Amino acid sequence: MSLSQMDHGWLWDKLDAYLARHSLRQTNQRKDIVNALISMREKHVDAEKLHNAVKDLGLDIGLATIYRTLGLLREAGIVEQRSFTDGRAIFELAIPDEHHDHLICIDCGIVKEFENEEIEALQLKIANSLGFSLSSHKLELYARCLREPCPNRVR
Amino acid sequence: MSLSQMDHGWLWDKLDAYLARHSLRQTNQRKDIVNALISMREKHVDAEKLHNAVKDLGLDIGLATIYRTLGLLREAGIVEQRSFTDGRAIFELAIPDEHHDHLICIDCGIVKEFENEEIEALQLKIANSLGFSLSSHKLELYARCLREPCPNRVR
DNA sequence: CTACCTGCAAACGTTTTGCAGCTTC
DNA sequence: GAAGCTGCAAAACGTTTGCAGGTAG
């Protein structure tokens, strides 16, 4: 077992369990894609970025398989799917007990993560008061850096 | 001035101001699209629904113009663009001082609106503590009706 | 040997764009 | 009459799917 596999033991366990439960196969492509995903610096990746990361490891996997595997990982609860501003889907490892929300800079697009228990509690309360049981939520803050010009700006 | 135009005076003022400020033209299509948007029962519409509403008024406007006008209305601060679960863009009138967030039923897709000052205040605090000035936010709760089966379910 | 999986290319649904003609100012 | 605007059709975009061949269990 490689180092990165050790760091993410929960992930491989979860994947194995999901595959077994649904009578799906362990394939090299799936392992390679997960390894590429783990090794990426960026936490928020889209299918194309992941495809490139896989290629950079010298592997040749079709984009369709990337999409199919990301869908599988989402169903298995291993990644979360988001969307932010543009149309494309963004995926992120769903590390157990590490829920967080996102603040996105409207100048440079940088994504900061934060946690706030108070807001989480209020969300539960709101859903209940409307007669619903909360399943998940999406909270994104769009904001501008207080220092001008934005120090993260690239363009 | 029609009744619906009276009800939405702020909107026409805002549109006129935006058009003037950017040296853009007043056209029948733009007025017709805004009127169709105002007259719709559904608060959350996509481009196709709006296109159909326009057609139902006996008007013949191209889908491309619907998209272009919705983009203009967004830039003018007259509508807000969202996305919810599926890929398509959803638009909603951005009524001044009537901000709200959304709870979406994961069974039937019905959208409930809610407001919560406490959460809004916490968001401001969080953005500031991260060194940002909050511009806008998106909060969506995905939840399941407490009564089974979901009374809103259509399928 | 029976699912299941993959790569490829084609299809998909939504949104954008190039262009020729028309409208607004 | 110059600058915008529109409709149309075609293109673009990210994503999904059908299929023929390959692979895991």
Side-chain angles (χ1 to χ4, degrees):
Chain A
M1 188 183 262
S2 79
L3 185 60
S4 63
Q5 285 184 351
M6 277 186 61
D7 295 348
H8 297 273
W10 63 272
L11 188 165
W12 297 103
D13 291 349
K14 216 164 180 174
L15 179 55
D16 289 351
Y18 183 84
L19 294 176
R21 185 158 14 104
H22 294 263
S23 308
L24 302 177
R25 307 266 149 90
Q26 307 258 177
T27 68
N28 289 327
Q29 286 91 334
R30 284 173 182 162
K31 287 176 203 160
D32 289 340
I33 289 170
V34 169
N35 271 321
L37 182 59
I38 289 172
S39 70
M40 290 183 74
R41 292 189 178 181
E42 284 194 74
K43 293 192 59 171
H44 305 96
V45 297
D46 57 28
E48 199 193 340
K49 276 195 195 125
L50 179 53
H51 192 207
N52 287 334
V54 166
K55 281 194 242 170
D56 288 349
L57 294 177
L59 302 164
D60 193 14
I61 299 181
L63 184 54
T65 299
I66 303 284
Y67 275 105
R68 285 190 271 234
T69 302
L70 281 170
L72 184 154
L73 295 175
R74 168 171 29 74
E75 294 312 306
I78 291 169
V79 300
E80 280 178 11
Q81 183 170 348
R82 313 187 167 278
S83 68
F84 300 153
T85 33
D86 49 3
R88 82 185 98 210
I90 299 289
F91 297 85
E92 163 176 26
L93 281 181
I95 300 171
D97 306 318
E98 283 203 21
H99 173 76
H100 58 258
D101 294 302
H102 298 92
L103 177 149
I104 300 105
C105 177
I106 53 183
D107 285 331
C108 73
I110 197 177
V111 177
K112 301 269 182 193
E113 300 179 344
F114 65 87
E115 292 175 66
N116 187 289
E117 309 252 334
E118 258 181 285
I119 289 187
E120 310 271 320
L122 285 166
Q123 291 177 354
L124 274 176
K125 227 169 78 180
I126 291 166
N128 284 334
S129 74
L130 291 171
F132 287 79
S133 141
L134 190 60
S135 163
S136 66
H137 73 265
K138 188 191 327 187
L139 171 57
E140 287 151 26
L141 305 184
Y142 294 91
R144 179 167 278 138
C145 181
L146 288 173
R147 287 165 296 175
E148 285 289 353
C150 170
N152 303 310
R153 179 178 289 282
V154 239
R155 305 163 246 162
Chain B
M1 188 183 264
S2 79
L3 184 62
S4 65
Q5 284 182 353
M6 277 186 60
D7 295 348
H8 296 274
W10 64 271
L11 189 164
W12 297 102
D13 291 349
K14 215 164 179 173
L15 179 56
D16 290 351
Y18 183 84
L19 294 177
R21 184 157 16 103
H22 293 264
S23 310
L24 302 176
R25 308 264 148 93
Q26 305 259 177
T27 68
N28 289 327
Q29 286 91 336
R30 283 174 184 162
K31 287 175 202 161
D32 290 340
I33 289 169
V34 169
N35 271 321
L37 183 58
I38 289 171
S39 70
M40 291 183 74
R41 291 188 177 181
E42 282 195 74
K43 293 192 59 171
H44 304 97
V45 299
D46 58 29
E48 200 193 342
K49 276 195 194 123
L50 180 53
H51 193 208
N52 287 333
V54 166
K55 280 194 243 169
D56 289 349
L57 295 177
L59 302 164
D60 193 13
I61 298 180
L63 183 55
T65 299
I66 303 282
Y67 275 105
R68 285 189 272 233
T69 301
L70 281 170
L72 186 154
L73 295 176
R74 168 172 27 77
E75 293 311 306
I78 290 169
V79 300
E80 280 178 10
Q81 182 170 348
R82 313 187 167 278
S83 71
F84 300 155
T85 33
D86 48 4
R88 84 184 97 207
I90 300 289
F91 297 85
E92 164 175 25
L93 281 181
I95 300 171
D97 307 317
E98 282 203 20
H99 174 76
H100 58 259
D101 294 301
H102 298 92
L103 178 148
I104 300 104
C105 177
I106 52 182
D107 285 331
C108 72
I110 196 177
V111 177
K112 301 269 184 193
E113 300 178 345
F114 65 88
E115 292 175 65
N116 187 289
E117 309 252 336
E118 257 182 287
I119 288 187
E120 309 271 319
L122 286 166
Q123 290 176 355
L124 275 177
K125 226 169 79 181
I126 290 166
N128 284 331
S129 76
L130 291 172
F132 288 79
S133 141
L134 191 61
S135 162
S136 66
H137 72 266
K138 190 190 321 185
L139 171 58
E140 287 151 27
L141 305 184
Y142 295 91
R144 179 167 278 138
C145 181
L146 288 172
R147 288 165 295 175
E148 286 288 354
C150 170
N152 304 309
R153 177 176 292 280
V154 240
R155 304 162 248 163

